[in-house]
Amino acid sequence: MSARIIDGTFIASQIRQSVSPGVAAFTARAGRPPCLGIVLVGEDPASGTYVRNKVKAGTESGLHVDLRRLSSSASLDELLAVVRELNASDRHDGILVQAPLPAALGRGAAQQVFDTIDPAKDVDGFSPVSVGRLVQGRALLAPCTPSGVIEMLDRCGITMSGARAVVIGRSEIVGKPMAMLLLQRDATVTVCHSKTPDLPGVGRDADILVAAIGRAGFVTRDFVKPGATVIDVGINRVTDASTAEGLFGASSARMADFAKRGSLVVGDVHPNVAEVAGALTPVPGGVGPLTIAMLLKNTLAAAEARAKSS
Ligand code: NDP
């Protein structure tokens, strides 16, 4: 059996197309486009790439994207001051502070940022108010990656109600909200983490298996029930040739790519899972594009909700 490969890039383009008329209507009504403020601290190259992609996608969809850059020597107070300025701005509908923050800002920095963002503008869905609403099943702005996964499952006709779902990973930004959203869709959800015994055995129970771990190729075919849907959230850069070869085989197209670039972006799911799964998201081109599409959707939703409440 060979898994159906879910085309995240195509689904993301459908979502983006569905956002554009709403953006145009908002712009006509309000006399200005919905506005997303993005704050980028420091020079992390991966964060720089993510932010560039978000600015490009937002602008292409008709949003106004206001990028604020802070140097890597910026203090937490300076960062929080920018967040408060965007909170107070009438023009800004959404605020996103790109993660990860520089380690020099301290361990609790991200939480302080989430605590400071106005929940009405919290397009990442990480503020305590947003998390509370998510748990209560009344989120307006749910975290982009897990809500993108739900959109993907819906658009692929994969039934969540009554399904057994296993989420590997319990982070605040992916694992926990993913579990909540699946539960709200009437799946029976198990959340796993680094202390879970017999992960492969737990995984084999799943009709829908979501991997959000951050370890290249960790989920092998032993974790997967034949025919299950496997969603690979992981984004891992592999720079070691023997690791890449172990995943893809010496004569694969991916290894030719590795030889050209010196690295590969791979998911948490091993390529051999395609032999047992019913459906599988690729990396790249799976969940990643959905995350950006949902950010645009959330920004429009925030703009519309703010306009209604003003
Ligand atoms: P975190 O590091 O915050 O969380 C990882 C989770 O995986 C933790 O809950 C951890 O368990 C669990 N874990 C780690 N090792 C093991 C193990 N050996 N066995 C079982 N569980 C384990 O990562 P994130 O949730 O932020 O991200 C996960 C992955 O998703 C990363 O590759 C990241 O780059 C990617 N990502 C992709 C996005 C996209 O748009 N596609 C968006 C966001 C993230 P414990 O809690 O016990 O430590």
Side-chain angles (χ1 to χ4, degrees), residues 17-292:
Q17 274 171 30
S18 74
V19 168
S20 290
V23 170
F26 179 92
T27 307
R29 260 194 329 268
R32 64 164 183 88
C35 174
L36 171 63
I38 299 182
V39 186
L40 174 61
V41 190
E43 313 295 333
D44 177 61
S47 295
T49 305
Y50 291 137
V51 165
R52 252 196 319 282
N53 291 341
K54 288 169 184 175
V55 172
K56 181 168 179 283
T59 308
E60 281 171 5
S61 296
L63 304 180
H64 177 70
V65 184
D66 177 19
L67 174 59
R68 304 290 182 94
R69 286 175 176 275
L70 296 181
S71 79
S72 47
S73 62
S75 67
L76 181 57
D77 282 346
E78 285 172 279
L79 169 58
L80 295 179
V82 173
V83 172
R84 289 194 189 98
E85 181 206 326
L86 299 180
N87 279 348
S89 159
D90 232 13
R91 195 167 61 93
H92 292 80
D93 300 295
I95 304 170
L96 178 154
V97 177
Q98 182 64 40
L101 292 172
L105 289 179
R107 281 193 64 192
Q111 195 56 60
Q112 284 204 52
V113 168
F114 302 152
D115 287 351
T116 304
I117 289 178
D118 177 353
K121 300 186 179 186
D122 178 25
V123 287
D124 257 342
F126 298 153
S127 77
V129 170
S130 305
V131 174
R133 287 190 183 135
L134 179 70
V135 172
Q136 293 175 341
R138 56 188 188 106
L140 173 67
L141 304 170
C144 298
T145 301
S147 55
V149 171
I150 297 289
E151 280 269 348
M152 183 180 247
L153 294 171
D154 268 337
R155 286 172 187 252
C156 291
I158 292 161
T159 305
M160 286 170 265
S161 178
R164 279 191 174 272
V166 170
V167 180
I168 311 182
R170 57 173 165 180
S171 72
E172 307 298 331
I173 66 170
V174 189
K176 285 183 192 169
M178 185 74 258
M180 277 301 142
L181 290 171
L182 285 163
L183 183 62
Q184 278 155 27
R185 297 299 299 269
D186 299 324
T188 301
V189 185
T190 303
V191 184
C192 303
H193 46 78
S194 62
K195 308 290 186 294
T196 303
D198 185 25
L199 267 179
V202 180
R204 279 196 302 274
D205 249 359
D207 303 306
I208 298 169
L209 177 63
V210 181
I213 308 159
R215 291 182 174 228
F218 181 87
V219 173
T220 59
R221 53 176 296 153
D222 299 346
F223 288 63
V224 180
K225 176 162 85 176
T229 296
V230 180
I231 304 292
D232 189 353
V233 179
I235 300 179
N236 311 288
R237 185 167 292 279
V238 172
T239 53
D240 169 51
S242 63
T243 307
E245 203 174 305
L247 288 169
F248 299 105
S251 54
S252 63
R254 295 296 308 268
M255 277 316 284
D257 217 23
F258 182 90
K260 229 185 291 167
R261 299 164 197 267
S263 69
L264 280 181
V265 172
V266 307
D268 290 342
V269 174
H270 195 286
N272 67 17
V273 166
E275 297 159 17
V276 267
L280 173 64
T281 61
V283 176
V287 174
L290 268 290
T291 299
I292 293 187

